[in-house]
Amino acid sequence: MDLPRPELALVPRPRRLSTRSGRLRLDATTRLRVTPGAEPAAALLRTLLTPATGLRLETAADGAFVLAVDPALTGLGDEGYGLTVSSQGALLRAARPAGLLRGVQTVRQLLPYAALSGRPVRGVPWELPAVEITDVPRHAWRGSMLDVARHFQPVSYLRRYVDLLALHKLNVFHLHLTDDQGWRMPVAAHPRLTEVGGRRTESMVGPAGSDRFDGVPHGGAYTRAELRGLVAYAAERGVTVLPETGVPGHVRAALAAHPELGTDPSRRLDVWTHWGVCENVLGTDDHVLDFFRTVLDEVMDVFPSPYVHLGGDECPTTEWERSPAARARAAREGLPGPRALHPWFIARMAEHLVGAGRRPVVWAESGVALPLECTVMSWREPGHARAAAERGHQVVRADHRATYFDYARTHGPQEPPAQPGPVVDLRAVYDVGIVPPTPDPRVAARVLGAQGQLWTEFVRTPEHIEYLTYPRLCALAEQVWDGGSGWLDFTARLAGHRARLDALDVPHAGPPAGVPAPPSVGGLR
């Protein structure tokens, strides 16, 4: 199959691209001219191109490949860039260093597809086509969420995950660190969270309600040094790591480590071995609030992200309704009943983050009124996004019908069993609605962007993660960056872009060998 020329297969599509005649050969004589502020982009360009090409791209005052930060280019915003390539040289410019990092990924995609390989490639002329590109993203929030609580992934893989996000000009890596089935976030003040909460005895593999388990213990936790290293690695690629340590539901692993945090401190629980929604929730006494304020302090110490995710969804209130202490707390706070403790708890944690200069992020839930300081991730219903934006919230779209990559990619017989729900095929992702229809431009402006989600109840390996993620995340990246070219144009470019995924050893076409095929169970999460 003949592939389109690389400049005709850029994903996501640049805002404006014009092709010219001529090509620029990159070889052992090629030098970079790097202006002040452009050094990180030059370092990234070398890091990305050297494995396949062997090019050293050393710095010289008269280098023909120029990387420049020019604050006067205000029309490019924080992440836009301009790229001009001719047979005599190349000029990559941006108003901010982040824009240069996006432009580096475009340079990488303009080269022959094999340039993305992690191994030396011989006999390929490393040439850039002559082009004129001006590129500015459509949305500021372009993200992807990976759940490492259900199935742990080593930090070495998380770095590869970041590299793939950066290639597609995504800028938020949402790291889901805690849940009922595992606690991966190190907390020095409370080491039992990872010592006990980071391991479960076995995993469920049977159909819903079957009580069948695989008998294989599973566990893992990160060190502070590993996470700080990941944050730095991501920042070098223009990606912010958004941490999530969820409350007041999805906390069974924390309760296994610290029973005193629950509604019944005398009860002893294990780390949950089931999937779905667990009814165990946090208690509402002051010591519980203080405990999780300490957790958030350590999260903020490791992750400099301006946003911190509090979870906040799928919180059954049955235990609060049965608990005299919880009912008394609701009465003292002037709440109408124990159910109102859900938004009350989130508000207490949000206050702590706001006081520290951070912005809380919360999953949207029906009937849960959140403080306006909370950025809302709308996942259940598209109407939640519009309602939240109309109330004054910042909004990130995460509609499960278009952005949940744990749902099956296709109805095909080779598709591994997946989370029950609609098939989310490539077209469903491409057709994601980001800005809800509204006549009020202020409401539209509150929609920051969108992100993909991969919950890992049935996803254990990096190969399975990437099969489910790509090329669906390519379609989402297209929409949050540009989104204006249409389905036929996108799929034509994707045909070439798949060759880049091949060079990166991403199993995008069909299930890779060894991908487990556990049966589906109930529940969206």
Side-chain angles (χ1 to χ4, degrees):
M1 172 180 167
D2 292 333
L3 295 173
R5 301 195 309 273
E7 64 269 29
L8 302 180
L10 300 178
V11 175
R13 188 191 75 152
R15 182 70 60 87
R16 289 196 294 273
L17 180 150
S18 300
T19 58
R20 304 283 189 265
S21 62
R23 307 186 73 78
L24 175 65
R25 173 71 66 94
L26 304 184
D27 56 26
T29 68
T30 303
R31 298 292 183 266
L32 304 180
R33 177 151 57 96
V34 183
T35 71
E39 296 87 355
L44 181 63
L45 185 64
R46 295 186 188 100
T47 296
L48 294 176
L49 296 190
T50 298
T53 69
L55 296 171
R56 299 185 64 180
L57 301 177
E58 295 174 342
T59 303
D62 59 349
F65 196 128
V66 181
L67 295 92
V69 174
D70 183 356
L73 300 172
T74 55
L76 295 177
D78 290 337
E79 296 184 88
Y81 64 93
L83 175 64
T84 302
V85 180
S86 70
S87 58
Q88 284 74 46
L91 172 62
L92 175 60
R93 300 190 300 165
R96 301 284 185 272
L100 288 186
L101 299 180
R102 309 295 170 230
V104 163
Q105 298 294 344
T106 298
V107 170
R108 190 184 183 197
Q109 290 196 24
L110 286 169
L111 286 166
Y113 297 113
L116 278 76
S117 175
R119 298 173 291 275
V121 177
R122 310 298 182 194
V124 174
W126 303 115
E127 294 180 335
L128 291 170
V131 294
E132 182 81 29
I133 293 175
T134 302
D135 205 5
V136 180
R138 180 183 176 199
H139 295 287
W141 190 297
R142 308 181 304 280
S144 182
M145 188 283 296
L146 180 63
D147 166 23
V148 294
R150 273 56 175 265
H151 281 104
F152 178 79
Q153 297 296 331
V155 75
S156 58
Y157 177 67
L158 300 187
R159 291 187 175 210
R160 172 176 166 87
Y161 194 89
V162 165
D163 278 326
L164 291 171
L165 299 189
L167 171 66
H168 295 90
K169 297 185 174 69
L170 299 173
N171 62 355
V172 177
F173 177 22
H174 177 177
L175 191 59
H176 182 79
L177 287 160
T178 69
D179 219 297
D180 296 308
Q181 299 86 1
W183 185 285
R184 315 297 177 203
M185 173 68 205
V187 180
H190 303 296
R192 284 177 58 84
L193 286 171
T194 50
E195 292 169 359
V196 175
R199 297 196 64 82
R200 61 177 181 264
T201 57
E202 51 196 352
S203 297
M204 192 171 88
V205 296
S210 71
D211 292 328
R212 287 177 52 204
F213 302 90
D214 65 10
V216 178
H218 180 82
Y222 303 107
T223 67
R224 292 167 67 89
E226 284 178 323
L227 292 175
R228 281 179 168 153
L230 175 67
V231 167
Y233 185 90
E236 290 168 357
R237 287 149 181 78
V239 177
T240 297
V241 183
L242 168 70
E244 180 181 351
T245 51
V247 293
H250 285 290
V251 290
R252 175 73 172 257
L255 296 176
H258 289 277
E260 72 276 10
L261 299 175
T263 57
D264 181 1
S266 66
R267 178 178 53 190
R268 296 298 180 265
L269 299 169
D270 57 3
V271 178
W272 216 32
T273 55
H274 296 264
W275 312 133
V277 179
C278 180
E279 74 167 13
N280 304 127
V281 298
L282 295 175
T284 57
D285 291 336
D286 287 345
H287 73 276
V288 180
L289 299 174
D290 289 340
F291 185 102
F292 281 92
R293 290 183 183 111
T294 297
V295 169
L296 289 175
D297 286 341
E298 297 207 22
V299 168
M300 289 187 285
D301 187 53
V302 172
F303 296 94
S305 165
Y307 294 87
V308 175
H309 208 301
L310 292 171
D313 64 332
E314 295 181 328
C315 180
T317 59
T318 305
E319 288 195 343
W320 289 335
E321 291 164 11
R322 293 196 302 248
S323 166
R327 293 198 303 270
R329 183 76 190 210
R332 287 198 307 274
E333 299 295 334
L335 302 174
R339 290 175 180 243
L341 289 168
H342 181 190
W344 171 85
F345 198 109
I346 294 171
R348 301 290 78 72
M349 296 298 101
E351 286 172 357
H352 189 68
L353 291 177
V354 171
R358 305 295 183 94
R359 185 104 190 190
V361 185
V362 180
W363 296 105
E365 284 288 5
S366 298
V368 178
L370 299 169
L372 284 181
E373 294 83 5
C374 290
T375 295
V376 171
M377 282 191 171
S378 170
W379 68 282
R380 283 194 187 270
E381 298 295 338
H384 289 174
R386 177 171 177 169
E390 288 175 343
R391 288 196 302 270
H393 291 281
Q394 290 183 338
V395 174
V396 176
R397 298 301 299 272
D399 183 356
H400 69 93
R401 297 173 186 85
T403 71
Y404 270 39
F405 299 155
D406 47 327
Y407 289 174
R409 293 183 7 164
T410 175
H411 291 290
Q414 68 174 359
E415 186 73 3
Q419 202 64 279
V423 167
V424 177
D425 60 16
L426 189 67
R427 184 62 187 262
V429 180
Y430 184 84
D431 287 341
V432 63
I434 298 178
V435 178
T438 173
D440 189 342
R442 296 171 300 175
V443 172
R446 294 182 189 124
V447 179
L448 302 180
Q451 65 176 39
Q453 280 61 235
L454 182 56
W455 307 102
T456 61
E457 287 94 330
F458 313 124
V459 185
R460 306 182 185 189
T461 66
E463 294 79 12
H464 198 178
I465 288 171
E466 292 178 8
Y467 167 71
L468 291 173
T469 303
Y470 296 96
R472 290 189 288 186
L473 193 60
C474 302
L476 186 64
E478 175 83 6
Q479 291 294 55
V480 291
W481 182 270
D482 178 62
S485 67
W487 171 250
L488 293 179
D489 177 71
F490 167 68
T491 53
R493 283 181 287 111
L494 183 63
H497 189 67
R498 285 179 180 271
R500 299 187 185 102
L501 299 179
D502 287 335
L504 289 162
D505 296 322
V506 173
H508 60 93
V515 165
S520 302
V521 303
L524 285 175
R525 288 279 304 278

